[in-house]
Amino acid sequence: MSSAPSSSSSLAADHNEHTLEHDERSLTILYATETGNAQDVADRLARLCRGLRIRARVHSMDAYPPTELINEHLVIFVVSTTGSGHEPRAMTPLWNMLLRADLPEDLFEDLTFAVFGLGDSAYEKFCWPAKLLSRRLVKLGASELCARGEGDDQHHLGVDGALGPWMKQLSAVLIHIFPLPDGITPESPDGLPPPRVTISDAPAGAQLTRKDPLVTDREYHTATVTCNKRITAEDWHQDVRHFEFSFQDDIRYSPGDVAVIHPEAIPADVESFLSTIGYANIADDPINVTHTLEDQSLPDHLPSTTTLREVFTRYLDINAVPRRSFFAFLQHFAQDELEREKLEEFLSDEGADEMYEYCQRPRRTIREVLEEFRSAKVPRDYIFDLFPPLRPRQFSIASSVKEHPRSIHLCIAIVQYRTMLKIPRRGVCTSWMARLKPRDQLQIGVQKGFIALPPDRSTPVICIGPGTGVAPMRAVIQERIREGIYENTLYFGCRSASKDHHYGDEWRKYAVEKKLVYRAAFSRDGPEGVARTYVQALIREDAKRIWELVGERGAWVYISGSANKMPAAVRAAIQYALVSVGKMSEEDAKEYVVNMEKEGRLIEECWS
């Protein structure tokens, strides 16, 4: 899916004269990602540019100084969507800069840009950050290079359903702007590109003397496990854990901030994979990794000296569902003719549905694919091109540092499910964390979240956090109670009061002490045939009180949890209170809630 079409040639002609004033054949690619998809797209765009003899400078937005944008002339933005329409955290500093009210309308009159968004059309705010970015840049004087692209997870080809056509459109525009010299033709996109690294043998024991980049990163702190306790009933289908970590460092964080954790793959999975791919005998030999293609990204905190076992344990994800780019590389390494033909078929337009049925629909992993395409011989220089990075995971912190100094609490659901092939699946990070024992150590970073507390201590807060969405709500409530502020309301939802009532005793204690108004919805505890009760139903029941808090006293509202139907239903319930008790019109009530979000009085911390 793309935004409204426009003529590539006319757009190119409009910008050709301006851009050619800068004779360097270069541009900048800025990406913001949560799961790695936008980073993969950025890498593919950089390869496209290299094929057109254009040098691409590729940066994650959180590693790019926002003020540098004024010095750019041609930028391609790749932006994913998080939660129910928010920008990724990596984009927030740049976005906040662009939203400043004092920016002149001609600030970016020398900037030409293109945007590719990634999202899911099942959500109302599909590709919302990409749309807003395009509009804001145009409003600040920038010119759009080509129509915005919008990759949709709902497409049977996923992001590739829109990315392929958009890259062809972008390529045509770039060739107009940067004509190839006579006798030079673009590189074939179907050929095998050079690897992004060179791997060479290192002296024996070399990796033992090097420092771990994650340990030396000042943004991370050494954490010691003090608690790993299941808080759902033993006979309940979902395993939710309460974790506590202690620190020697005097760490600082605020309610709503997130803990960043780098997981490791299960040793048995790594051993099996190394055997499958033919690396078992060299897995523990020290190697040097040299980054040779600067326009292609590498995993965070990758040491220059390591081993293949460490790489596939800590830095590359062998349990991911492979993207199309994986198969595009794999076809070059398959030795068996039938296997190579099958891979070529997957990559054809006609075979796209078959690849979806083989890979995406059953959630087949990279390990499982390579167990079937056994003839593939992957040169070790290409491992960072073929396999995606094992990305750190982010978890909302479930504690207040004022209540628990030098400590972080987390509330985490251990991911376990079965695929349509009846194969059990485990989340890489959560299954690794589930095995942590007291006194185990790991590195944890802290990232700023979206939540802010009211500056006026007398302002009431309403927290809505069903399931593990209660984690940041616990941080908010602990912090306010610690500061002697008791105007707190919590709406919690789960299936059963006796099975998955996270921190129920804590909430009841606060309620008895008059420090919290606690309302809980147990959706499966009602009698058979009676409509299930969810948090939004309780908010509707409490319409009079909601109006008094929100409409009359200016309460702040926090919504946390799964970004499915819940956030929209909660907003509708608040609007119901504004209409039924506050006597607003439907239109005014909807606008009031929208303005609450603009003013920072309604904050979502949701995930998809």
Side-chain angles (χ1 to χ4, degrees):
M1 182 183 295
S2 293
S3 58
S6 56
S7 166
S8 298
S9 57
S10 62
L11 282 168
D14 289 342
H15 301 299
N16 196 39
E17 182 178 349
H18 150 68
T19 310
L20 286 179
E21 292 174 5
H22 313 282
D23 54 7
E24 184 186 10
R25 299 176 63 86
S26 68
L27 54 77
T28 298
I29 299 173
L30 298 179
Y31 68 87
T33 192
E34 288 281 330
T35 62
N37 288 330
Q39 183 176 357
D40 182 63
V41 170
D43 283 347
R44 290 170 66 178
L45 291 172
R47 284 198 295 271
L48 168 71
C49 291
R50 196 179 336 116
L52 300 175
R53 311 301 198 270
I54 301 168
R55 185 170 71 90
R57 299 175 295 269
V58 184
H59 305 281
S60 173
M61 289 188 195
D62 59 354
Y64 179 85
T67 53
E68 276 297 302
L69 194 59
I70 190 66
N71 299 318
E72 301 285 359
H73 297 285
L74 183 54
V75 179
I76 301 173
F77 296 91
V78 185
V79 182
S80 64
T81 309
T82 184
S84 52
H86 289 290
E87 80 278 0
R89 285 183 175 87
M91 181 180 168
T92 301
L94 178 64
W95 185 235
N96 287 343
M97 185 275 285
L98 292 174
L99 288 178
R100 280 173 43 187
D102 60 345
L103 298 180
E105 292 186 357
D106 60 351
L107 179 66
F108 294 122
E109 62 181 0
D110 293 328
L111 176 66
T112 303
F113 73 94
V115 176
F116 187 84
L118 297 87
D120 186 330
S121 60
Y123 294 95
E124 181 182 1
K125 294 184 176 179
F126 170 58
C127 285
W128 204 244
K131 289 181 169 76
L132 294 179
L133 177 62
S134 294
R135 294 171 191 166
R136 183 58 177 160
L137 288 172
V138 169
K139 193 170 183 179
L140 292 173
S143 302
E144 199 159 20
L145 182 68
C146 63
R148 183 180 61 251
E150 296 177 351
D152 186 2
D153 281 346
Q154 293 297 316
H155 193 286
H156 69 289
L157 299 181
V159 169
D160 285 297
L163 181 60
W166 189 79
M167 286 179 66
K168 290 180 181 178
Q169 181 186 14
L170 178 68
S171 178
V173 176
L174 290 175
I175 287 176
H176 276 281
I177 293 174
F178 299 111
L180 288 166
D182 291 342
I184 302 296
T185 58
E187 293 179 5
S188 170
D190 300 324
L192 178 63
R196 69 188 67 192
V197 304
T198 298
I199 293 179
S200 58
D201 296 330
Q207 82 278 12
L208 300 178
T209 59
R210 66 103 214 268
K211 293 182 178 179
D212 187 331
L214 192 60
V215 174
T216 58
D217 187 339
R218 292 187 177 183
E219 297 296 317
Y220 285 78
H221 310 272
T222 300
T224 302
V225 180
T226 58
C227 177
N228 174 0
K229 179 177 70 175
R230 178 170 176 143
I231 57 175
T232 46
E234 290 295 333
D235 61 349
W236 191 239
H237 69 280
Q238 189 176 45
D239 180 0
V240 176
R241 302 288 180 96
H242 172 75
F243 291 90
E244 296 181 12
F245 303 93
S246 65
F247 298 81
Q248 290 295 318
D249 297 342
D250 188 19
I251 59 167
R252 297 292 177 188
Y253 59 87
S254 301
D257 288 356
V258 297
V260 183
I261 295 178
H262 289 254
E264 296 182 7
I266 296 172
D269 289 350
V270 176
E271 188 65 44
S272 172
F273 168 80
L274 291 168
S275 177
T276 297
I277 202 172
Y279 289 165
N281 293 334
I282 59 172
D284 298 303
D285 296 345
I287 56 174
N288 289 325
V289 180
T290 305
H291 195 183
T292 52
L293 286 184
E294 294 294 333
D295 64 3
Q296 300 293 291
S297 59
L298 291 178
D300 293 339
H301 301 95
L302 177 71
S304 57
T305 302
T306 181
T307 65
L308 289 172
R309 185 183 304 278
E310 184 179 45
V311 165
F312 288 110
T313 299
R314 295 181 58 188
Y315 302 105
L316 293 178
D317 194 349
I318 59 176
N319 292 297
V321 176
R323 304 183 181 103
R324 187 180 186 277
S325 56
F326 171 86
F327 292 101
F329 273 99
L330 189 62
Q331 68 170 330
H332 296 290
F333 306 134
Q335 310 297 307
D336 180 81
E337 186 176 348
L338 289 177
E339 290 184 6
R340 195 160 53 247
E341 288 177 359
K342 174 55 70 175
L343 291 167
E344 290 171 355
E345 186 179 334
F346 281 165
L347 293 165
S348 69
D349 291 340
E350 298 77 17
D353 288 341
E354 187 177 353
M355 185 174 74
Y356 172 79
E357 292 294 330
Y358 170 77
C359 188
Q360 280 77 24
R361 190 160 180 259
R363 309 293 294 169
R364 203 181 301 267
T365 68
I366 285 173
R367 278 196 306 127
E368 292 164 344
V369 170
L370 289 173
E371 285 169 1
E372 297 192 7
F373 290 86
R374 286 187 168 269
S375 78
K377 305 298 181 188
V378 181
R380 63 182 186 176
D381 282 359
Y382 277 96
I383 59 176
F384 293 99
D385 298 285
L386 189 65
F387 303 104
L390 180 56
R391 300 188 63 79
R393 293 343 190 234
Q394 299 168 325
F395 300 100
S396 294
I397 296 175
S399 55
S400 162
V401 75
K402 294 179 180 178
E403 178 71 15
H404 301 282
R406 300 188 186 221
S407 178
I408 282 178
H409 296 184
L410 300 176
C411 177
I412 298 176
I414 308 304
V415 178
Q416 302 175 82
Y417 64 96
R418 287 185 179 272
T419 70
M420 58 176 287
L421 301 177
K422 307 302 181 186
I423 300 172
R425 287 279 186 265
R426 303 181 300 268
V428 174
C429 188
T430 59
S431 61
W432 175 70
M433 292 185 67
R435 298 193 304 276
L436 292 174
K437 300 180 292 294
R439 294 188 295 279
D440 283 350
Q441 290 192 326
L442 66 157
Q443 300 301 119
I444 295 181
V446 175
Q447 273 187 4
K448 188 67 183 166
F450 295 123
I451 288 176
L453 295 182
D456 184 344
R457 291 167 55 92
S458 67
T459 302
V461 303
I462 302 171
C463 301
I464 301 108
T468 54
V470 79
M473 305 297 98
R474 186 172 185 256
V476 168
I477 292 166
Q478 280 188 358
E479 180 115 343
R480 283 172 60 89
I481 289 176
R482 178 73 180 184
E483 294 181 344
I485 307 170
Y486 303 147
E487 291 274 10
N488 311 303
T489 299
L490 172 63
Y491 288 91
F492 173 75
C494 65
R495 293 193 173 193
S496 171
S498 61
K499 303 293 186 182
D500 59 338
H501 190 183
H502 310 331
Y503 307 111
D505 291 342
E506 188 173 319
W507 309 134
R508 285 189 288 261
K509 178 176 177 291
Y510 285 148
V512 169
E513 295 170 347
K514 306 297 184 184
K515 299 174 180 177
L516 174 73
V517 173
Y518 181 49
R519 297 279 279 145
F522 306 113
S523 62
R524 302 300 193 273
D525 282 353
E528 194 72 30
V530 175
R532 292 171 178 171
T533 302
Y534 299 102
V535 288
Q536 56 265 31
L538 297 185
I539 293 171
R540 284 176 175 264
E541 283 181 19
D542 299 345
K544 184 174 184 296
R545 186 167 184 273
I546 294 296
W547 163 251
E548 291 170 354
L549 291 174
V550 173
E552 295 180 349
R553 300 185 56 196
W556 286 32
V557 177
Y558 305 98
I559 305 172
S560 175
S562 176
N564 48 28
K565 298 178 181 178
M566 184 273 294
V570 166
R571 287 166 179 263
I574 294 172
Q575 290 170 26
Y576 171 78
L578 301 178
V579 172
S580 61
V581 183
K583 305 306 178 185
M584 290 187 183
S585 68
E586 294 280 356
E587 187 176 332
D588 286 347
K590 186 173 183 179
E591 185 178 356
Y592 186 92
V593 172
V594 169
N595 286 333
M596 284 179 65
E597 187 166 20
K598 289 180 179 177
E599 295 163 4
R601 286 178 52 209
L602 189 152
I603 300 171
E604 280 189 20
E605 177 73 57
C606 298
W607 53 86
S608 51

